[in-house]
Amino acid sequence: MSAFELFLSLFIAMFANTLPAFLLEMLKLPLPMRYPIDFHKKLLGHRILGDHKTFIGFLLMVCGALIAWHVLLAVLMLFDTVPAIFHSEVFAAPFLIAIGVFTGDAVGSFIKRRCGIMPGDNLPVIDNLDWIIGALLILNVLYGLPSLNAVVGLSIFFFALHVAADRIAINFHLRRKKPSS
């Protein structure tokens, strides 16, 4: 995997990570549509993941990865520069990227619950890096990763982009402000 392919893959991962929160907040779906993946179960007195990790959220995450993958593929085809990762696994790769993003996000939620932080409350760094780490782990298994410099540089870039996008969404009232921890 080249650094450019990693950039595209992390863009897909970021879109997949952002879409569920954005859509679910805008659509205000009734609670039965937002059933949590942890089935309301507790571990050591705390919810395992919390109310914000839902089946519909996971489905939207997969849809987001598929949409971003195919939009990027169409744009790259216009410029006749389609990287190797887009030649294979047209549906499997974005699905697996979404699984990596969701797993990273779920691990972050699990850590937050163990620290007593409620769903929706912010835990700086964890909330912005968990999905990146999950995506990187899946991408490493699927394709291998480029140089450590590319991985670190792109991780920092997407971390900063995620923080900036979150601030913009809050300022334009597209998203409620998370309470500070």
Side-chain angles (χ1 to χ4, degrees):
M1 169 178 274
S2 69
F4 180 62
E5 290 170 321
L6 179 61
F7 171 81
L8 294 173
S9 298
L10 287 177
F11 178 83
I12 291 165
M14 183 173 167
F15 190 79
N17 183 59
T18 305
L19 186 68
F22 181 72
L23 280 181
L24 289 173
E25 190 156 321
M26 286 190 63
L27 296 176
K28 307 244 185 280
L29 294 175
L31 289 178
M33 295 284 297
R34 297 177 178 213
Y35 199 78
I37 285 187
D38 69 3
F39 297 99
H40 300 285
K41 300 293 182 198
K42 293 183 177 185
L43 177 67
L44 302 174
H46 296 282
R47 284 283 299 279
I48 296 171
L49 298 176
D51 286 337
H52 291 187
K53 299 297 163 266
T54 64
F55 289 102
I56 191 80
F58 175 71
L59 180 64
L60 288 171
M61 196 173 279
V62 170
C63 290
L66 286 167
I67 290 166
W69 177 277
H70 286 83
V71 167
L72 282 175
L73 178 60
V75 169
L76 292 167
M77 288 173 74
L78 288 174
F79 295 100
D80 200 29
T81 176
V82 180
I85 63 167
F86 283 91
H87 290 291
S88 62
E89 302 102 15
V90 175
F91 291 102
F95 178 75
L96 292 171
I97 289 170
I99 287 175
V101 169
F102 184 82
T103 302
D105 198 37
V107 168
S109 291
F110 181 81
I111 292 168
K112 287 169 59 175
R113 297 305 86 76
R114 303 297 68 79
C115 296
I117 299 170
M118 298 303 295
D121 288 358
N122 192 19
L123 181 58
V125 180
I126 294 290
D127 282 336
N128 304 108
L129 267 185
D130 53 8
W131 64 272
I132 294 172
I133 293 168
L136 288 172
L137 290 172
I138 285 289
L139 291 168
N140 187 45
V141 169
L142 290 175
Y143 307 109
L145 293 174
S147 71
L148 182 61
N149 287 343
V151 170
V152 170
L154 287 171
S155 295
I156 292 169
F157 171 78
F158 278 98
F159 174 86
L161 184 60
H162 188 259
V163 170
D166 195 46
R167 299 274 187 249
I168 290 168
I170 289 168
N171 288 339
F172 283 97
H173 305 287
L174 299 172
R175 180 169 186 192
R176 284 175 286 144
K177 184 174 174 146
K178 292 180 179 180
S180 57
S181 54

